[in-house]
Every structure is written in C-alpha cells, then in structure tokens.
Amino acid sequence: QQQVKQSPQSLIVQKGGIPIINCAYENTAFDYFPWYQQFPGKGPALLIAIRPDVSEKKEGRFTISFNKSAKQFSLHIMDSQPGDSATYFCAASRPSGNTPLVFGKGTRLSVIA
Amino acid sequence: KAGVTQTPRYLIKTRGQQVTLSCSPISGHRSVSWYQQTPGQGLQFLFEYFSETQRNKGNFPGRFSGRQFSNSRSEMNVSTLELGDSALYLCASSLNQGPYGYTFGSGTRLTVV
C-alpha cells in the first residue's frame, strides 16, 4: 500500500523532445505528489508538486499530469535540454497523516544534442 | 541563504564500528528528516525530527538512531555497521513538520568495508 512504482528506469531523448516519466501509487490516502531532480553528487531538489484536487500543473518547462481515478501521475519536460540530464524521482505522501515521502525508484534521463 | 549542510561528505568505516553523521538545516527550518539512498532500494525514509522530538520512524533496525538539538541541527548514528549499510545518507529540512518544501543536503557517502 505504500509503494510508488515509477517507469521507465531510463530514458534517452533528443534535445527538444518531450520525455514523459510515469508513476503509479496504491494508497488512496496520499494527497501530496512531488517530483525531484537529482544530479550526480547532489541531493534531490524539488522540481514541482501537485495535490489531487487539480489534474495538471505547469512550472516553466515542467508539467505534472494527475489522474486520480487511475492513481497515476506523470512528469513531462517540454523542449528538453542536455542540462536536464539527471535522475528524476516521483514521490507521494499524506502529510496530514504524518506519512513521510515514499519515493519511486527513479528514472535516469539522458538528453542528447 | 545557506542550504542544508551535511558532514562529512565521505566516510569509510569497518564492519562493526559505529558512525555519526551530522546535518545542519536551513536557518529557520525546524524539521529534519533522514533518508538512505542505495541503487537497489532507492530512497528510504529513516526518521523525522521536529522540535527535538522524533515524530516519525521508518522500517530500519534499532542500530539506526538519531537526535535533534535545540538549534535544529540533527545527527544520526549507526552502530555495529554492516556491509549493507553502505549508502548515501541524505537529510532534508523543512519549515514545519512534514515533507512540504523539503530541501535536501548533498548527503554523506558511507562505505563500510
């Protein structure tokens, strides 16, 4: 019930492409869904987060799509750049229930010029 | 403003020894959470401290412990080290209890030989 399943494990796209990373969760009580970006040698950095009362949220080139009925959410990166090459993690939590973040296993993205 | 500072950055220990890792949160942040990151298991929650009290604990053996001081700095201790404890240990700070707005440090890379 606490799992968050993330796919794909790795992804290679051309510069300017739109990589899509998908996550599925089991616990319907989760109500906070952030995405993190991690570069080698660094800790994860919060990119964007969504609550289940909206179906989409955009911040710059990053968009989260959320499907509550399917218990799925995804990250889209518009006009991807080589500098976006990193590992991306989705996560889920129920902060009001004192539930810590449960992370997906991560997606290693490579954007090639 | 200064980010989350973790010391030391790298550590090599022998099986059976104990180790103490330190985390200084962002100024004003009162919550510190610890995560273990490994290639196989990904990011796994260890514990959260808020106002010097442990508020939440993950599914790790009692060899893993932590504490938080009155200035919000936190330490985690691992006793009787095992080879499987080799990992990147990350701490994250947030303003209040819970995962909203987590800012991660760059981590301490622990190698047990």
Side-chain angles (χ1 to χ4, degrees), chain B:
Chain B
K1 59 182 178 182
V4 178
T5 303
Q6 290 189 247
T7 56
R9 286 298 309 275
Y10 303 93
L11 210 46
I12 299 176
K13 289 286 187 179
T14 305
R15 267 184 305 174
Q17 286 186 314
Q18 75 165 18
V19 66
T20 299
L21 312 182
S22 178
C23 173
S24 293
I26 288 174
S27 178
H29 282 196
R30 296 158 62 199
S31 174
V32 173
S33 297
W34 289 87
Y35 282 80
Q36 182 195 64
Q37 186 175 25
T38 59
Q41 298 298 317
L43 283 142
Q44 293 189 291
F45 173 75
L46 282 155
F47 25 66
E48 178 186 12
Y49 286 87
F50 179 77
S51 294
E52 301 178 64
T53 302
Q54 187 179 90
R55 302 290 178 156
N56 211 339
K57 188 177 191 304
N59 189 25
F60 277 82
R63 300 185 297 107
F64 292 81
S65 63
R67 58 179 176 167
Q68 187 180 35
F69 302 95
S70 58
N71 62 358
S72 295
R73 190 177 71 86
S74 177
E75 288 181 348
M76 69 163 279
N77 184 276
V78 188
S79 62
T80 320
L81 283 166
E82 300 176 0
L83 294 179
D85 297 333
S86 295
L88 180 66
Y89 289 89
L90 293 159
C91 84
S93 75
S94 55
L95 201 56
N96 297 302
Q97 186 178 345
Y100 292 126
Y102 264 178
T103 300
F104 280 89
S106 294
T108 293
R109 171 75 63 186
L110 172 65
T111 302
V112 183
V113 297

